[in-house]
Structures are given as structure tokens and as C-alpha cells.
Amino acid sequence: MFNLNLVSSAIAPIATIARLDTSVTSATTNSLKQWLIFSASAFLVSIPVFVQAPLVRLYPTISLLSTIPWFVLSLILIFRPKTQLWGDLLLGFAGCWLAGSIYWGWFRWEPILHLPIESIGLPFAIWCLGKSWGKVGGYFYLGSLLGTAITDLYFYLTGLMPYWRQVMHAEPELAMPIFQSAIGQIETPWGIGWALVLIAVLLTVGLLSLRGTQLHWRAFSGAVLSTLLVDGLFWLAASAA
């Protein structure tokens, strides 16, 4: 007689192993996705510095209009289940690109307007987060904005705003002496002290958010921590000149 209990007993360990294997695979996939989001966020923060900056200085209108393809591409990706996550992240990046194009294209001579213009997408980001929609892109935008705010705060505290204005009005080949004067302003006890304080703030916020397992926290962390990398590269380039 066919013994169902015997068959069940034989199948049970196999089913358990299959479930465990599926669980391990799912955890591995999720971990990989977390680090991909973190890396992509850090990469997207660096794009405006190395790509948008020269473009917007020479062709501000082209930089502004190129926001449209970013938004269109992000929406196309969002409405496809397999690419929804990346469209979400790209939407946050498109908001940063739009704000950067407006400021660096037409208002870069006035540092006081930098943060307000960079915050142009903040109401939309808050609205999306309130609706629990677009969390990855929203947190990426907030992380990028926080990094910008901390950097601007450092400029205010160390009296670098006049140098900002001079650099924006100077021809590229005449900007380096101004950079060197600004470095001299930074390399003082006051400048170094505030640099250490604000670096500690960015590291603390970035590393604490990196501990979160949710994808939007990884996007936030990548945007915050990459600010340190970008600022560090800028300082090294100016110091080495």
C-alpha cells in the first residue's frame, strides 16, 4: 500500500533545503542590489561635476534642455517593472541636473542663491515621499542636497564666498591664482577645524544611513558620502596647482 506519510517524510528535507536555498539567493540578490544602488548614487553625484560643469559653462541652454531626456528616460524606466528601481533613481538625478543647469548656467556668480536654486525639487521630493512613491530617487535628491548644504556652509563659515564670486567672473586660465588664495584661507586653524567638524557630520550621516537595508537609504548614503570624494578631489586639484 502506498504510504503517503513515508513520501512526505522523504520530501520534507528536500523542500526545506529548497526554501533555504531560495532564501539565501534572495538575500544575496537584495544585498547586491543595495550595493549597486549605493554605487550608482555615488556615480551620479559625480556626473554634474565632471560632465555638467563644463557643458553648462559653455552651453547653458543645452544643459537645461537636456533635462528633458533625463526625465523622459526615468519615466520610461519607472513604468517597466524590471527597471522601475533605476527609473526611480534617475528621476532624482534629473531633479539635481535641472537645478544645477539653472544655477550654474545663469546664477553662478551669486553663491547666496546656490542652495535655494538647488532646492527647487525639494517640494516635489517631499510630496513623493509623503505618498510613499519614488523613495529611492527622493532620498538620492535629499542626500545630494544635504551634501551641497554642508559644502556651502563651509564656504560661509570660512569666508570663501568672495573667492567664489571672483572665480565665477574670471576667465578659466586666470582662475587658478584665485583657487590658491582660497586654499590659503582653508589651511588655517579655523578652516581646518571646520573642515574636520563638517567631514565628521557627513561621515556620520552617510555611514549610519549605510547601515539601513532599505534601498532608499543606500541611495541617500551614496549621495552623501560621494560629496566627500568630490570635495576632496577639488581640494587636491587646487592644492597641487
Side-chain angles (χ1 to χ4, degrees):
M1 186 176 178
F2 191 70
N3 193 328
L4 289 175
N5 291 332
L6 183 61
V7 174
S8 298
S9 300
I11 291 176
I14 299 174
T16 301
I17 293 172
R19 284 196 299 270
L20 288 173
D21 184 61
T22 302
S23 178
V24 170
T25 302
S26 177
T28 302
T29 301
N30 189 52
S31 178
L32 177 62
K33 192 177 292 184
Q34 290 170 5
W35 286 110
L36 284 174
I37 287 292
F38 174 84
S39 302
S41 297
F43 174 72
L44 289 175
V45 167
S46 67
I47 285 181
V49 177
F50 300 107
V51 178
Q52 188 181 29
L55 174 64
V56 77
R57 189 178 185 95
L58 297 174
Y59 308 106
T61 303
I62 292 177
S63 179
L64 180 62
L65 292 177
S66 65
T67 307
I68 298 173
W70 287 124
F71 274 117
V72 171
L73 178 59
S74 67
L75 292 176
I76 291 173
L77 295 176
I78 283 175
F79 289 107
R80 293 180 179 177
K82 291 184 178 180
T83 58
Q84 181 179 8
L85 176 63
W86 303 109
D88 188 352
L89 179 61
L90 194 59
L91 184 61
F93 169 74
C96 295
W97 185 279
L98 172 63
S101 295
I102 294 172
Y103 176 76
W104 295 106
W106 290 276
F107 300 96
R108 62 179 177 268
W109 299 277
E110 186 45 69
I112 295 176
L113 297 177
H114 185 216
L115 191 59
I117 292 177
E118 290 288 350
S119 303
I120 193 172
L122 187 58
F124 180 69
I126 293 174
W127 180 83
C128 287
L129 295 178
K131 299 291 185 179
S132 296
W133 183 85
K135 279 190 172 182
V136 171
Y139 273 82
F140 169 82
Y141 179 84
L142 292 178
S144 178
L145 188 60
L146 175 63
T148 299
I150 293 293
T151 302
D152 282 12
L153 177 61
Y154 182 76
F155 273 72
Y156 281 110
L157 292 171
T158 54
L160 292 174
M161 290 303 176
Y163 297 101
W164 182 321
R165 294 186 179 96
Q166 292 175 36
V167 167
M168 292 302 119
H169 282 97
E171 294 297 324
E173 61 272 13
L174 300 177
M176 197 49 65
I178 303 173
F179 278 125
Q180 291 172 339
S181 298
I183 290 296
Q185 186 89 351
I186 292 171
E187 293 176 343
T188 62
W190 179 263
I192 293 172
W194 274 113
L196 292 175
V197 169
L198 297 180
I199 287 171
V201 170
L202 284 173
L203 278 175
T204 301
V205 173
L207 293 176
L208 285 177
S209 55
L210 187 61
R211 296 175 62 184
T213 57
Q214 294 170 304
L215 295 176
H216 58 269
W217 283 119
R218 294 302 175 100
F220 180 83
S221 177
V224 170
L225 293 177
S226 61
T227 301
L228 290 171
L229 175 62
V230 171
D231 289 350
L233 290 174
F234 169 80
W235 180 82
L236 287 174
S239 300

